[in-house]
Amino acid sequence: ETICLDAGKPGIANFAEAKICANIFYELAKRFQLDEITIIAPYRKQVEVIRKTLSLEELDKQIPLNKTLKIREWQNFLKTKISTVDSFQGRESDVVIICYVRSNKNDGIGFIDNLNRINVAHTRCRREMHIVGDFECLKSQAKNQVFHRLEKAFRRDGEIINIQQTL
């Protein structure tokens, strides 16, 4: 994670996780329509970084789009389907990518530790959910056992992929 200052306002971003979200998104776009995919993160700065990381040109390489609709459709996707957990509250999507952002050595995980936010994030999905995060950081710094319980559920019902990458 990185603390970013924009116009004097601090924000938290994780560029590695944004790249991972982008890779997952491009793979999902081969199987789902844009309006069926949502990416959520707890921090506004991370939402901004993810929007900048995604590329219409890369999407077009993956799945050629109708040239007359793609720019308008893409802009709408960036604006409405990539958002903070709080702003997505009350909505659902077929596929949700959750980006947890926090990755540090004992500097805390902030409001991610709030069970209500975790509940909102994890109950937005109708069909398929992908979670991107530093699981060890989240498990070790949460004041509750929710990430330990999630790990057990993922190992039982899903898949945990350990990504080690030099950026």
Side-chain angles (χ1 to χ4, degrees):
E1 74 186 57
T2 303
I3 296 177
C4 305
L5 291 174
D6 285 336
K9 295 170 83 177
I12 298 175
N14 186 319
F15 296 94
E17 286 189 15
K19 289 180 183 180
I20 294 166
C21 287
N23 288 333
I24 293 169
F25 166 77
Y26 295 130
E27 287 302 311
L28 291 170
K30 294 174 185 176
R31 297 186 291 125
F32 296 94
Q33 299 294 317
L34 279 182
D35 64 351
E36 296 176 314
I37 304 170
T38 298
I39 304 172
I40 57 177
Y43 298 99
R44 284 188 303 267
K45 184 63 181 176
Q46 185 70 4
V47 167
E48 179 184 316
V49 168
I50 292 169
R51 286 176 178 156
K52 289 179 180 176
T53 302
L54 293 174
S55 153
L56 180 58
E57 292 77 21
E58 183 61 32
L59 179 63
D60 199 29
K61 286 181 199 172
Q62 302 285 332
I63 50 163
L65 302 168
N66 180 326
K67 300 288 182 195
T68 59
L69 296 176
K70 71 178 183 180
I71 292 174
R72 183 177 59 230
E73 195 177 359
W74 180 249
Q75 290 170 340
N76 186 56
F77 170 78
L78 291 175
K79 183 179 176 183
T80 63
K81 302 298 276 182
I82 304 173
S83 63
T84 63
V85 173
D86 291 346
S87 66
F88 197 68
Q89 189 167 350
R91 294 189 284 159
E92 291 182 328
S93 184
D94 289 306
V95 180
V96 177
I97 302 168
I98 303 168
C99 183
Y100 270 110
V101 183
R102 301 309 296 257
S103 179
N104 61 65
K105 304 260 190 239
N106 298 318
D107 288 337
I109 59 172
F111 62 76
I112 290 172
D113 204 10
N114 181 308
L115 290 174
N116 291 330
R117 275 199 174 89
I118 294 168
N119 182 53
V120 167
H122 288 244
T123 58
R124 304 299 98 193
C125 177
R126 289 189 210 112
R127 296 172 63 191
E128 198 170 309
M129 178 172 52
H130 299 262
I131 297 174
V132 177
D134 181 341
F135 223 39
E136 294 308 314
C137 172
L138 297 171
K139 288 188 318 182
S140 69
Q141 297 187 53
K143 294 181 179 110
N144 53 62
Q145 294 295 307
V146 69
F147 291 105
H148 290 279
R149 292 192 309 269
L150 284 171
E151 179 181 32
K152 284 181 185 177
F154 298 152
R155 291 197 187 283
R156 182 188 67 230
D157 299 328
E159 182 179 12
I160 296 176
I161 299 170
N162 186 7
I163 298 175
Q164 294 182 340
Q165 179 180 15
T166 305
L167 299 174

